[in-house]
Amino acid sequence: MYKGKARAYTNIALIKYWGKKDEALILPMNNSLSLTLDAFYTETSITFAEDFAEDRFFLDGIEQSAAATKKISAFLDMIRSEADCPLYASIDSRNFVPTAAGLASSASGLAALAGACNEALNMQLSVEELSRLARKGSGSACRSIYGGFAEWQQGTDDTSYALQVASDDWENDLSMIFILINDQEKEVSSRDGMRRTVETSSFYDGWLTAAAKDLVTIKQAIADKDFAALGAVTEANALKMHGTTLAAQPPFTYWSPESLRAMDCVRHIRQQGLPCYFTMDAGPNVKVLCQKRDEQAILDALQANFTPEQLVLAHAGSGLTALPLENDVPKMSK
Ligand code: FM0
């Protein structure tokens, strides 16, 4: 029996990953750049044992469906072959989120799982190798290996992973406020949404050209610690990503009327002189990037429009961490 445990934090892309050039390998069409956050994380322990007859996947103590377990099994199959371990596994994953608002993230989940496997099977992977492995579970997970800013370089199978973006710890001056929007509509998953967009959106070529330029701009903003430049390109990049969905066939959007109200609110606060910028992912929630020194004033302004339960404050988080095991179960020997 081999056991390992790890914690990974979620990350939010400032330059979005939107579209794959290889669906099976999860190779992206464009580089992306993210900030890892402290408010949401996953802790996963995995046990590989001789007497297991199948993989079993428990999330927050509840055994998951055959379909959900199948996805995890496919990921584990790859690891089993890489680590030369034939054993089935039991996975116990816990999401730590401040509210029950559906903020669980595949990024922290798959990064934590990759980390737990690395521990249990004594794979001794470097951060780049861990990032590459996590990528094959969920693209955005490759960025959660690192704290602070990370850039996922599209590469080829062997070279597609994220790297730390040097920032002189500037991320510790930044905050992100989540505005949780309840949406009744059925969501299009990011996986389905990006596929439909790549295949059908007449705006997709424009997205790729713009994302490459935005990446150059944001790296300069980080090097210069220029918050206005960072925020402006973050907001503009998210708008361009969301623009592509409107030109897909059939068209779709992740925006709800409440999302638009939140975006408007952020622009209004900015016009009042408090620097803040929004971004959005494959769902209706709006995330507000600001400087720590302004976070209270911006929270106060947002509270005039949203309930305290809708607002979650986050700061920069750390990278993937191996966790000690509760009892003395051996790792696989090399
Ligand atoms: O995070 O199909 O990683 O860069 O969040 O599992 O590779 O869930 F807004 C969308 C995340 C996409 C932007 O996609 O997809 C970003 C998004 P997978 P993910």
Side-chain angles (χ1 to χ4, degrees), residues 186-225:
K186 206 172 153 280
E187 216 189 290
V188 181
S189 73
S190 53
R191 205 161 272 202
D192 293 345
M194 66 175 84
R195 181 188 304 120
R196 193 191 300 175
T197 306
V198 171
E199 285 172 359
T200 67
S201 177
S202 54
F203 292 173
Y204 194 72
D205 283 346
W207 157 254
L208 288 179
T209 313
K213 286 187 189 148
D214 289 349
L215 191 79
V216 174
T217 306
I218 203 162
K219 283 159 90 170
Q220 192 60 50
I222 293 169
D224 296 344
K225 300 185 188 175

Side-chain angles (χ1 to χ4, degrees), residues 292-331:
K292 223 180 229 173
R293 63 169 186 247
D294 297 326
E295 74 182 26
Q296 196 50 53
I298 291 167
L299 272 170
D300 290 346
L302 289 171
Q303 261 160 15
N305 293 275
F306 300 95
T307 65
E309 295 74 38
Q310 283 184 280
L311 302 173
V312 178
L313 176 63
H315 298 122
S318 34
L320 178 67
T321 323
L323 296 174
L325 298 167
E326 287 84 19
N327 45 25
D328 221 8
V329 181
K331 294 177 179 183

Side-chain angles (χ1 to χ4, degrees), residues 13 16-18 20 26 106 137-140 143 190-191 194 241 280-282:
K16 304 296 181 188
Y17 149 47
W18 194 240
K20 296 181 181 69
I26 312 199
S106 64
S138 182
S140 55
R143 300 182 310 235
S190 53
R191 205 161 272 202
M194 66 175 84
M241 173 198 130
M280 285 180 70
D281 294 288

Side-chain angles (χ1 to χ4, degrees), residues 11-20 23 26-27 30-34 105-107 110 134-143 152 189-192 194-195 207 237 241-242 254 279-283 287:
N11 72 77
I12 294 295
L14 308 182
I15 303 300
K16 304 296 181 188
Y17 149 47
W18 194 240
K20 296 181 181 69
E23 297 246 340
I26 312 199
L27 296 176
N30 63 280
N31 291 17
S32 53
L33 189 147
S34 62
S105 123
S106 64
L110 271 297
R135 177 204 102 218
K136 298 191 195 194
S138 182
S140 55
C142 78
R143 300 182 310 235
W152 176 12
S189 73
S190 53
R191 205 161 272 202
D192 293 345
M194 66 175 84
R195 181 188 304 120
W207 157 254
N237 183 265
M241 173 198 130
H242 287 271
Y254 292 109
T279 186
M280 285 180 70
D281 294 288
K287 293 118 192 178

Side-chain angles (χ1 to χ4, degrees), residues 88-148:
Y88 287 113
S90 175
I91 301 113
D92 179 8
S93 210
R94 284 170 200 271
N95 281 324
F96 293 79
V97 291
T99 66
L103 278 166
S105 123
S106 64
S108 59
L110 271 297
L113 181 58
C117 291
N118 182 44
E119 289 304 305
L121 302 180
N122 205 5
M123 295 168 79
Q124 299 178 11
L125 300 176
S126 66
V127 281
E128 287 87 359
E129 288 166 332
L130 277 164
S131 175
R132 179 174 170 270
L133 182 60
R135 177 204 102 218
K136 298 191 195 194
S138 182
S140 55
C142 78
R143 300 182 310 235
S144 275
I145 303 304
Y146 307 91

